[in-house]
Amino acid sequence: MAIVVTLNPELEALLRDKAARQGQDVGLVASELLARVLEWEEQDSEEAIKGIQQGLDDFEAGRFRSFPEFADEQRRKYSNRHKG
């Protein structure tokens, strides 16, 4: 299946330059880049879902702290970084 994508001139130049540096066809480079982005996006979504589920599991098990506790910890953590 062929998909036609219109790129702005700057992006097209970057893509053509990358393909030339790699000694590869511009279509192949574009396809590989798109595949990497889609793979990264899927992995990022899966990690986000796992993190949310872990948070829900922790909350249901009573493993949580109040916002004021969290805010105090963050203030201590970041104020100590700026003192040294």
Side-chain angles (χ1 to χ4, degrees), residues 3 30-46:
I3 297 176
S31 180
E32 288 175 352
L33 287 170
L34 185 56
R36 280 192 226 145
V37 167
L38 292 173
E39 187 177 295
W40 173 83
E41 184 181 57
E42 183 177 331
Q43 181 180 2
D44 190 51
S45 294
E46 288 173 7

Side-chain angles (χ1 to χ4, degrees), residues 72-84:
D72 286 342
E73 178 186 311
Q74 295 303 306
R75 275 192 287 278
R76 283 191 307 275
K77 179 179 177 181
Y78 290 104
S79 67
N80 288 337
R81 285 185 178 179
H82 298 291
K83 290 181 182 178

Side-chain angles (χ1 to χ4, degrees), residues 20-64:
R21 284 192 319 270
Q22 293 179 354
Q24 294 183 331
D25 176 73
V26 70
L28 178 63
V29 171
S31 180
E32 288 175 352
L33 287 170
L34 185 56
R36 280 192 226 145
V37 167
L38 292 173
E39 187 177 295
W40 173 83
E41 184 181 57
E42 183 177 331
Q43 181 180 2
D44 190 51
S45 294
E46 288 173 7
E47 289 174 9
I49 290 168
K50 286 178 186 175
I52 291 167
Q53 187 60 55
Q54 181 64 52
L56 292 172
D57 293 347
D58 286 347
F59 183 79
E60 289 177 6
R63 294 184 301 263
F64 62 91

